[in-house]
Amino acid sequence: GYHLPLIGGHVSGTGLYSGPLFVWIMALPSALVNGNPLGIAAFVSGLGVITTAVIYWVGSEFFEKRTGLIAAAVAATSFLLVIYDRKYWNASPIPLLSLLTLLCLQKISQGKRSFVYPLAVILAVAFHAHMTSAVLLVFIAVGWWLLKLPVKKREFMVGLALFLLLQMPLLVFEMRHNFLNTRAAVSFLSTDEAGTSLATAVKDVSLLAANTAGRLLYAPLKLDIAKELTLCSQYAGLRFTPPLWAVILGLTALVFVVRNRKSIGSRLLLLLLAINMVGLIWYRMRAGPGNWYPGQLSEYFFFPSFPVFLLGFASLTNRLIGRLGSRAGIAWLALAILLLVNAAAVVTATHSDGFAGKNATVKSVIKLLAGQPFTLAVTSSDPCRIYGYRYLFSVYRREPVASYLDGQFGWLYDRRLPEEKPTKRVTIVTNPESIEIKVYDFGINVRK
C-alpha cells in the first residue's frame, strides 16, 4: 500500500494494537491472489490442514502414535475447529502456534536446545497476531521455570534477543506516536472499574470452557455458519449448545489429563489450560461489558487450549481402547460414529450471509455505476449483516469515495480514499431473504 504498517489489529476495548508481523506475512498470499477473499480463505484453510498434521505430531510425541492419530482424526472432523480454520482473521494461526509452542518446549526439555530459536520466532508471530497469545507467553515463562530447562545462557540470550528484535516495528510505532500502546496498557491495567466479580468471572469462564469442550467434540447437522462465527452480540444466543453427554465427555478428557500429570506431555497440557483459565478469569474481571462477548461468542479466547481439549480426548480414548482389550471394537465403533456425525455437520452446514451473495451484489453495483464516483452505505434490519461489502470494492479496484466503514477500518486501507467528488450514493439493503441495491443522485432516486 501507500505506507508500511508498523502495527496489526486493534485489541478490542483496550486501546492497544498488536504488532505487524502477521500482517506482513499475510501480504504474500494476499498479493498472490490479488486480495480475493476465496484465495485468502484457501490459505488459512491450508494452515488448518497443517494444524491437523501437527496435532498428530504432538500427540505422537507427548503420548503415542495412536493418540496422535485419534487427535488428528477428531481435529479434521470437528465442526468448530474446521469452521474456525476456514475463517481468515488475525486469530487464525493461534491453535497452530500453540501446538508448535508445546512441541518446542518438550523438545527443549529433552535437551534439544536449538529449538529455542524457532520458539522465539513462533512466540513473536503469535504475539503480533492476536491477544490470546499472552497465554503462550506466560505458559513459556512458567513452564521454563518449572521444567528447569537445560538451556545455556548464551542460547537463552540469543533467543530472547531474536524475540525482542522482532518487536522493533512496535518500538518504532511507539516512538512515532507518543507511546500510544504504552499509555493504553497503563490505562487498562490501572483502571479501577472492574468488569465483574471473581465469582461471576469463575462461573462465566468455567461454563465457557465446558461448552467449548463439548462443541469441539460434537455438532448437529444443518448449522448456519453465520450464526456460529459472527462476533455480533445479537447472535450470542443462536450458537448451538452442545448436548450434556458431549460436555461430560469433554470434561472427562480434561480430568484424565489431570490424573495423568506425571507424564511431561500431560503436565504441559495441564499447565497451558490452567494459565488459559486463570488469564481469562482475570480478563473477565478487568474487562468492561464491551470487551467480553456474551455466551459462546467468547469461545475463541480458548484458541491456545483447543489442542489441550483434543489431545486430552484422544489420550482418554486411547487409554479406553487399551483397557478394553478384545472388546476394543466397541470403542472404535463409537469413535467412528462420532467422526462421521461431525464430518456430516461440516458438509451440511450453510452460510446465510456468505461470500457469494456479497460478491454478486458488489459486481452489480460496479456495473450500474459505470465508473462514476460514489459513496457507499449498507443497512439491514439485522445489525450483524452489514459487513463484508466495502472490501470487495477494493478487490475490484472500484473503491467508494466514502463509506460507512471508513471510521472503523480506514486505517487499514491499502490505498488512500479517492479525492473525487461523488456523483452517486449507493445503499445496499441486506435482508435474510434478499439483497437490494439502491442508487441515487444526490437528492434524486435514480435506480433500484
Side-chain angles (χ1 to χ4, degrees):
Y2 61 89
H3 73 298
L4 180 69
L6 297 175
I7 53 173
H10 178 243
V11 181
S12 178
T14 63
L16 293 163
Y17 290 89
S18 59
L21 288 181
F22 180 69
V23 176
W24 292 357
I25 291 170
M26 283 304 304
L28 178 59
S30 181
L32 291 175
V33 298
N34 292 318
N36 190 300
L38 288 181
I40 298 171
F43 176 79
V44 295
S45 295
L47 288 182
V49 175
I50 295 172
T51 301
T52 304
V54 176
I55 283 178
Y56 168 75
W57 186 10
V58 174
S60 301
E61 290 282 340
F62 278 23
F63 304 102
E64 54 182 271
K65 287 188 175 181
R66 192 165 66 185
T67 298
L69 182 63
I70 294 171
V74 175
T77 55
S78 168
F79 172 84
L80 194 64
L81 193 62
V82 169
I83 62 170
Y84 274 123
D85 281 344
R86 293 178 179 182
K87 177 179 179 176
Y88 165 62
W89 59 330
N90 55 319
S92 295
I94 294 300
L96 173 59
L97 297 173
S98 178
L99 282 163
L100 293 174
T101 299
L102 284 164
L103 189 63
C104 285
L105 198 60
Q106 191 240 18
K107 291 293 186 182
I108 295 169
S109 71
Q110 294 174 343
K112 299 175 182 178
R113 300 192 299 268
S114 60
F115 276 84
V116 168
Y117 310 128
L119 177 62
V121 176
I122 289 165
L123 292 176
V125 173
F127 182 55
H128 283 216
H130 198 259
M131 64 166 289
T132 51
S133 63
V135 172
L136 300 180
L137 296 177
V138 176
F139 168 68
I140 283 297
V142 177
W144 200 287
W145 173 67
L146 288 177
L147 295 175
K148 296 179 174 58
L149 296 179
V151 176
K152 294 180 179 179
K153 184 177 179 180
R154 178 182 175 277
E155 293 160 339
F156 174 80
M157 295 306 295
V158 171
L160 180 61
L162 181 58
F163 176 84
L164 294 177
L165 179 64
L166 293 172
Q167 309 312 313
M168 288 301 294
L170 272 178
L171 179 60
V172 175
F173 173 81
E174 287 289 86
M175 296 175 68
R176 288 188 63 189
H177 294 274
N178 195 25
F179 295 93
L180 177 68
N181 264 348
T182 304
R183 289 184 286 109
V186 171
S187 176
F188 179 73
L189 294 172
S190 62
T191 181
D192 293 329
E193 183 181 353
T196 186
S197 66
L198 175 60
T200 300
V202 170
K203 182 194 72 174
D204 288 350
V205 172
S206 298
L207 181 62
L208 184 67
N211 281 335
T212 300
R215 280 165 59 86
L216 275 169
L217 295 180
Y218 167 80
L221 302 180
K222 299 182 179 179
L223 292 168
D224 183 355
I225 294 174
K227 305 299 190 297
E228 299 300 327
L229 276 185
T230 307
L231 291 178
C232 186
S233 58
Q234 286 83 351
Y235 285 178
L238 300 180
R239 295 194 176 189
F240 81 88
T241 301
L244 183 60
W245 65 263
V247 174
I248 292 174
L249 192 59
L251 293 179
T252 303
L254 296 180
V255 171
F256 179 78
V257 173
V258 174
R259 286 179 57 85
N260 290 272
R261 58 187 179 276
K262 290 183 179 180
S263 72
I264 187 170
S266 291
R267 275 186 288 165
L268 289 176
L269 295 179
L270 178 59
L271 178 63
L272 179 57
L273 179 61
I275 290 173
N276 206 160
M277 291 283 292
V278 172
L280 277 187
I281 290 170
W282 174 84
Y283 182 72
R284 181 70 182 97
M285 292 174 63
R286 301 288 306 180
N291 301 341
W292 180 270
Y293 292 108
Q296 284 301 124
L297 265 63
S298 290
E299 67 193 0
Y300 70 92
F301 286 132
F302 276 111
F303 270 6
S305 292
F306 271 23
V308 178
F309 295 122
L310 296 172
L311 290 167
F313 173 75
S315 182
L316 172 65
T317 304
N318 185 46
R319 177 67 65 87
L320 181 62
I321 289 171
R323 289 283 180 87
L324 287 174
S326 60
R327 293 172 294 173
I330 299 173
W332 282 116
L333 178 62
L335 178 62
I337 292 173
L338 180 65
L339 297 179
L340 287 173
V341 169
N342 284 339
V346 172
V347 172
T348 60
T350 58
H351 201 316
S352 63
D353 192 32
F355 171 76
K358 296 176 183 180
N359 191 48
T361 301
V362 170
K363 285 184 174 181
S364 297
V365 170
I366 292 173
K367 186 176 180 181
L368 281 171
L369 292 171
Q372 298 178 80
F374 67 101
T375 63
L376 175 68
V378 180
T379 63
S380 177
S381 57
D382 181 346
C384 305
R385 298 178 69 92
I386 65 172
Y387 299 100
Y389 293 89
R390 168 61 176 79
Y391 177 76
L392 291 174
F393 286 97
S394 295
V395 172
Y396 296 121
R397 299 297 189 266
R398 281 292 293 120
E399 294 179 326
V401 173
S403 83
Y404 68 117
L405 292 178
D406 293 345
Q408 190 173 355
F409 295 116
W411 64 282
L412 282 171
Y413 298 165
D414 65 337
R415 289 184 294 276
R416 296 187 186 277
L417 290 172
E419 296 182 0
E420 303 170 87
K421 187 174 182 179
T423 60
K424 304 294 182 185
R425 289 187 296 128
V426 175
T427 299
I428 298 172
V429 183
T430 71
N431 299 300
E433 301 82 18
S434 63
I435 303 176
E436 186 179 12
I437 302 169
K438 298 179 180 180
V439 181
Y440 302 86
D441 276 334
F442 280 90
I444 304 173
N445 188 347
V446 175
R447 192 166 181 178
K448 274 194 177 183

